Amino acid sequence: MQRFELIAPCHFGLEAVLKREIQELGYEVGRVEDGKVTFVGDAEAICRANIFLRTAERVLLKVGEFQAFSFEELFERTKALPWETLIPEDGKFWVTKATSVKSKLFSTSDIQSIMKKAMVVRMREHYGHEFFPETGAAFPVRATFLKDAVTVCLDTTGESLHRRGYRKRTSKAPITETLAAALLMVTPWRKDRILVDPFCGSGTFPIEAAMMAANMAPGLRRTFTAMEWHGLIPKTEWEAVREEARELVDLSCEVDIQGYDLDPEIVKAARENAREAGVDGLIHFQQRSVDLLSHPKKYGFLIMNPPYGERLEDKAALPELYRTIGERYRALDSWSLYVITSYEDAEKYIGRKADKNRKIYNGMMKTYFYQFMGAKPPKRGGRGEKAGKGGQ
């Protein structure tokens, strides 16, 4: 079967998480760069990556790469790519997105127009048609320019992979599903450990955690652009991978996943989203303010996306809010705390320096993922071990 070079973009700062995911799917990783991981796979890999990857934003099939310092070079080198081996004569093709960083060619609208013209000329030479109906499957093209190096890809995904299909209602400042999944995977949390999100909003952290616990593939309930690429990916491949994903789901798992929020309407929305995701039976949502946060058990995990104070009128409330987070955390015996925020004084008011701090870009916003490690639980089956630092 034909093998392709595939590129999976992700949030800046979380490339290692995605790399591990791809390797666990059984594929060879080629390069890890800022915001993307390149790997090699066949048609089945395109299906499995789209359906199973939790932290990728999309899956791109690389058509080629070259350097272009002028629009003439861009036209000729785009025309030289083997478009006819990928796009059928009735295919709908266009440059859906172009980005340019530190390159001589920076007008994205001109880039898109010239590349489309070059593709048409190449297809015309191969198929012998003057015009193309473009009534068939969609083949969106993405082009990235970095220091005059151009990478050209077909987008196999369509709508970003963070759109799992379950989030029908959102809160004011939601975290994306892919980012929530990646942050959960940075922690040592596993399904046999307690997980609480006291600022759950529309429920993204608890829902993603429940999907992981149930071994539910994030792309199981949605469609992808490449599902219509029958010349490249047989329909049977998609059906086989979906069946594989369905067979892996285990909703009988025992978990303790909780989500709290002060707003009763938001709690209602979180419940509805969990129902859409098929994991409502695995999560307990409750209206509760953070100052009432407590839990009788030990060795749990707090994970949260609290307010950042983007608006000036909200900033004044942040010291007291983060001070309360710190107080409630200290009252929890042997727990670990994970906080994503852009608030620079988070550690100061939580009252403790984080054991680890990871810089992550949430869209264009620079945020920090503060990791406060609790004690390790004793090993099971023996006399136990002395609890120490580590957040395991």
Side-chain angles (χ1 to χ4, degrees):
M1 188 174 283
Q2 186 177 1
R3 290 171 68 78
F4 306 101
E5 190 170 358
L6 305 171
I7 300 173
C10 64
H11 284 274
F12 283 90
L14 293 167
E15 298 85 359
V17 181
L18 176 56
K19 176 186 176 182
R20 186 170 69 245
E21 265 204 289
I22 292 168
Q23 290 174 329
E24 287 174 354
L25 277 182
Y27 301 114
E28 178 188 345
V29 170
R31 294 196 305 275
V32 178
E33 301 167 272
D34 286 347
K36 65 180 179 181
V37 179
T38 300
F39 63 106
V40 176
D42 55 13
E44 183 191 56
I46 293 173
C47 305
R48 297 187 78 235
N50 274 298
I51 289 173
F52 284 106
L53 289 179
R54 299 185 188 278
T55 63
E57 293 300 309
R58 59 185 65 249
V59 180
L60 305 174
L61 187 162
K62 191 167 92 171
V63 182
E65 57 186 351
F66 51 80
Q67 285 195 312
F69 302 94
S70 67
F71 285 120
E72 290 77 14
E73 286 180 316
L74 177 62
F75 180 90
E76 291 299 330
R77 287 168 187 174
T78 300
K79 185 167 82 73
L81 296 175
W83 296 107
E84 71 282 354
T85 66
L86 301 167
I87 304 174
E89 56 187 313
D90 68 341
K92 179 182 178 182
F93 54 95
W94 75 105
V95 182
T96 182
K97 186 171 183 182
T99 59
S100 180
V101 178
K102 299 179 180 177
S103 298
K104 290 184 173 60
L105 303 182
F106 56 84
S107 169
T108 55
S109 59
D110 287 334
I111 287 169
Q112 290 170 294
S113 175
I114 286 166
M115 291 185 71
K116 167 73 176 189
K117 288 176 184 175
M119 292 170 69
V120 168
V121 170
R122 173 80 182 210
M123 298 279 281
R124 187 184 294 157
E125 291 175 354
H126 178 77
Y127 288 112
H129 301 319
E130 191 64 26
F131 300 102
F132 293 91
E134 299 197 42
T135 54
F139 290 81
V141 176
R142 287 179 170 247
T144 57
F145 288 64
L146 177 61
K147 298 179 181 177
D148 303 308
V150 187
T151 304
V152 184
C153 299
L154 287 175
D155 179 10
T156 75
T157 301
E159 267 200 312
S160 172
L161 288 176
H162 82 266
R163 297 191 179 276
R164 319 287 206 214
Y166 66 73
R167 201 161 70 176
K168 304 300 182 184
R169 296 179 61 185
T170 62
S171 55
K172 185 169 65 174
I175 191 168
T176 67
E177 294 88 331
T178 46
L179 179 54
L183 295 180
L184 283 163
M185 292 167 76
V186 165
T187 78
W189 177 79
R190 297 296 179 265
K191 64 183 178 183
D192 60 341
R193 305 284 293 279
I194 305 159
L195 184 75
V196 177
D197 178 0
F199 297 91
C200 74
S202 53
T204 310
F205 272 131
I207 292 170
E208 288 295 320
M211 290 174 70
M212 289 180 194
N215 210 15
M216 182 182 290
L220 185 56
R221 294 165 176 252
R222 56 159 289 173
T223 59
F224 307 95
T225 299
M227 290 176 69
E228 301 301 318
W229 297 1
H230 303 312
L232 285 177
I233 308 173
K235 188 177 178 181
T236 52
E237 290 282 9
W238 290 102
E239 292 170 350
V241 174
R242 280 199 193 281
E243 184 58 30
E244 176 193 357
R246 279 191 289 268
E247 289 177 356
L248 289 171
V249 177
D250 177 17
L251 291 172
S252 67
C253 60
E254 293 186 11
V255 293
D256 187 348
I257 300 172
Q258 302 175 33
Y260 307 142
D261 203 280
L262 186 59
D263 185 338
E265 284 301 309
I266 288 298
V267 173
K268 183 180 177 182
R271 289 195 183 108
E272 290 176 6
N273 290 339
R275 196 175 303 118
E276 285 287 338
V279 293
D280 50 312
L282 301 179
I283 308 169
H284 172 69
F285 287 110
Q286 183 180 343
Q287 181 192 356
R288 183 191 288 191
S289 64
V290 68
D291 61 306
L292 298 177
L293 176 63
S294 64
H295 202 289
K297 295 183 179 178
K298 301 173 68 171
Y299 309 116
F301 287 77
L302 287 174
I303 189 164
M304 63 184 74
N305 175 36
Y308 302 171
E310 291 86 19
R311 298 184 302 178
L312 285 175
E313 58 266 35
D314 295 334
K315 282 193 180 296
L318 291 185
E320 184 59 30
L321 175 64
Y322 282 80
R323 191 178 290 116
T324 300
I325 291 170
E327 288 170 357
R328 299 321 305 155
Y329 170 52
R330 285 188 291 277
L332 291 166
D333 188 8
S334 306
W335 281 50
S336 298
L337 168 64
Y338 297 86
V339 183
I340 181 171
T341 180
S342 65
Y343 184 43
E344 299 281 352
D345 289 329
E347 289 172 300
K348 173 182 174 182
Y349 291 107
I350 287 173
R352 172 179 158 186
K353 184 171 177 57
D355 296 291
K356 293 182 182 178
N357 179 10
R358 185 188 290 247
K359 186 192 299 180
I360 294 163
Y361 280 87
N362 186 2
M364 298 303 293
M365 181 185 293
K366 183 172 71 173
T367 62
Y368 300 93
F369 191 47
Y370 295 104
Q371 302 165 64
F372 303 87
M373 307 302 193
K376 293 180 183 179
K379 286 184 177 179
R380 295 180 178 179
R383 293 191 306 170
E385 64 178 8
K386 188 175 179 181
K389 303 290 276 186
Q392 299 300 308

